Amino acid sequence: MKKALIFGEYKIARFLPVLRDRGYTDFVVYSAVEFDAALEFDATGVEVKLLSLDWDADDVVRVLDAERPDVAIANPYAHGQEQLPIVYGRAAARWNGRFVAHSAEFAEVACDKVKLHETGVARGWPVPAGAVCADVSAVAGAARELGFPLVIKEAQAQAGDGRFFAASPEELDAILAKGLAFPSIVQAFKVGEETGIELISADGELMRWPVVSMGPLDAGLDPSKRARVTPYALPERAAARLDAFLTDIQDNFAPYGPWQVDFAVVGDDIVVLEINPRLGGLSDLGATGSGTDPHAVFTASALGEPLPQARTRAVAIELPSTEIPGVEVPAHPEGAEVMRVTARKPTNRCFINTDRMQLVTTIGDLEAGKRWVKELDAAGLLRCSVESAFRQLEQGFGLFGGKAEAL
């Protein structure tokens, strides 16, 4: 009997089939939220225990020593777990079993926005112009130096928190009046297309999914309210800069497992916005657009299997939507594959018991896709504008078109 221990509940149902296929029969999932495994997935052999968000490396090592799994996998998600990759990295360096986790050095760069900025400046990464601030007076000085608009980011915060946009001194004063955790980074706000890429590192190799467009950057700093599409074509210079950035991290910071990079395409170049040391908001779109599930690939790689390639098989769009009781999602376009992801399932999303829903869909025909978007909007289900969804679809088809071959 082989035992797997997984730290984190996110998309756990997509880990289990891979593990079972490789002979694992005993599973322990340490979850940050309480849930009934029998209602979430086939719970045979699955024990759910509570994960403390305040654990340090000593706590994690004690759990590993007590459980003695054949493999342990760090699977953090954003809500409340944003700083745990640092803890997992430190614990993995001390434990004598197989614990698949990013190095603490990589996790610190990914989890701490001040650390990312300082490292980026030192290594020549394409990070926005900015200044690290230890107090309110330093923020005011940085604003005078950089000018407006600005983005202010607390060094360590959970997903969706600790980020602020200021277009004027008055807006900055309002942010400071509400209180800001220090240290923080103040950065120039760049107007561009927000994009992202999902990756998995394992045994010195790097796997990449096609780039995702998250739409034009806006003052809300919330791509979850915008339509996302894959594939997206980077300008030649931007692609080269991204390659160099990813190679430097892969070669010098020892990532091991999944990670994401959010960046803005500004002109023909990129500006790195953040690194996430986990699977998250792009994984469903990556799985749908390529047919290669990042969660399944990560699980197999954690067992030592080689990384495959992920290629675009169709234009895929993720539409932020609302789940309304009694309102059905309109019939999807013929030939499309739809993944419906609701926030009410604890292992699907970090935000639980809300009406948020993501519809992740392959689109084989542009006009059919547009009709479906209009029907979603007419039903009151669409959270983004129809125009923005159209723009993203047109962008995807402009690159992929009707070609049958994979990119």
Side-chain angles (χ1 to χ4, degrees):
M1 182 174 72
K2 291 195 289 187
K3 179 178 182 179
L5 186 159
I6 303 172
F7 290 101
E9 69 282 356
Y10 185 58
K11 304 287 190 185
I12 196 67
R14 282 149 69 172
F15 287 64
L16 298 179
V18 178
L19 290 165
R20 286 190 172 119
D21 185 60
R22 275 68 170 178
Y24 284 79
T25 56
D26 188 11
F27 308 96
V28 179
V29 178
Y30 276 82
S31 172
V33 295
E34 294 185 6
F35 66 90
D36 185 343
L39 298 177
E40 290 283 313
F41 45 76
D42 176 7
T44 304
V46 179
E47 183 178 9
V48 179
K49 298 183 180 181
L50 190 62
L51 167 70
S52 173
L53 302 179
D54 298 322
W55 272 350
D56 60 19
D58 289 339
D59 297 314
V60 174
V61 171
R62 277 194 289 269
V63 169
L64 292 165
D65 285 338
E67 298 285 358
R68 302 307 304 178
D70 295 281
V71 65
I73 302 172
N75 178 44
Y77 194 55
H79 190 60
Q81 302 176 45
E82 200 73 273
Q83 305 306 316
L84 284 177
I86 300 174
V87 173
Y88 295 145
R90 292 170 180 165
R94 291 169 45 189
W95 196 56
N96 60 4
R98 183 169 179 81
F99 183 13
V100 177
H102 292 301
S103 71
E105 182 182 19
F106 172 74
E108 287 167 359
V109 171
C111 295
D112 188 308
K113 295 175 178 62
V114 166
K115 182 75 170 178
L116 171 60
H117 179 80
E118 292 176 335
T119 304
V121 170
R123 300 188 70 86
W125 294 346
V127 295
V132 177
C133 300
D135 52 36
V136 170
S137 63
V139 172
R144 288 192 297 271
E145 180 73 20
L146 295 168
F148 291 89
L150 294 169
V151 176
I152 303 95
K153 302 175 184 176
E154 295 173 351
Q156 295 187 357
Q158 302 302 330
D161 296 330
R163 294 185 302 167
F164 311 93
F165 174 83
S168 66
E170 293 74 22
E171 290 185 10
L172 179 60
D173 289 342
I175 292 167
L176 295 174
K178 293 180 180 179
L180 192 66
F182 292 101
S184 288
I185 179 76
V186 178
Q187 294 178 323
F189 179 76
K190 296 292 186 180
V191 177
E193 186 87 0
E194 185 170 2
T195 51
I197 186 168
E198 189 158 64
L199 313 110
I200 292 179
S201 295
D203 297 321
E205 300 297 322
L206 179 64
M207 178 181 179
R208 302 166 53 156
W209 272 260
V211 173
V212 171
S213 166
M214 297 184 251
L217 279 165
D218 55 50
L221 305 178
D222 186 0
S224 69
K225 294 182 179 179
R226 306 184 222 129
R228 308 179 187 187
V229 73
T230 187
Y232 175 79
L234 295 175
E236 184 176 348
R237 182 165 182 253
R241 289 269 270 178
L242 178 64
D243 288 345
F245 171 65
L246 299 179
T247 298
D248 190 29
I249 291 179
Q250 175 75 6
D251 291 347
N252 296 292
F253 289 85
Y256 202 121
W259 47 299
Q260 296 175 346
V261 178
D262 285 348
F263 56 101
V265 177
V266 182
D268 65 349
D269 206 350
I270 66 168
V271 176
V272 173
L273 303 176
E274 65 181 26
I275 304 173
N276 295 311
R278 51 175 169 78
L279 291 167
L282 301 182
S283 67
D284 290 332
L285 190 56
T288 302
S290 69
T292 304
D293 181 7
H295 302 269
V297 171
F298 174 37
T299 309
S301 71
L303 303 179
E305 298 180 21
L307 295 171
Q309 285 188 315
R311 297 184 181 276
T312 298
R313 60 173 181 161
V315 174
I317 192 166
E318 181 171 327
L319 296 169
S321 306
T322 302
E323 185 180 33
I324 303 175
V327 178
E328 295 296 324
V329 174
H332 56 267
E334 184 177 355
E337 296 180 23
V338 179
M339 180 187 297
R340 179 172 174 173
V341 183
T342 71
R344 299 183 192 279
K345 194 170 184 178
T347 62
N348 262 349
R349 287 287 183 197
C350 63
F351 301 105
I352 300 169
N353 292 327
T354 75
D355 63 357
R356 285 176 55 178
M357 175 174 65
Q358 301 295 112
L359 296 172
V360 191
T361 315
T362 58
I363 301 291
D365 177 81
L366 177 59
E367 294 308 315
K370 286 183 174 182
R371 287 194 296 272
W372 188 61
V373 168
K374 286 182 178 179
E375 291 170 359
L376 286 170
D377 185 60
L381 299 178
L382 196 64
R383 284 186 183 266
C384 66
S385 70
V386 170
E387 293 73 19
S388 68
F390 282 4
R391 173 186 178 275
Q392 293 289 64
L393 281 173
E394 289 165 357
Q395 187 168 253
F397 274 90
L399 174 62
F400 190 73
K403 297 178 292 184
E405 71 272 17
L407 295 180

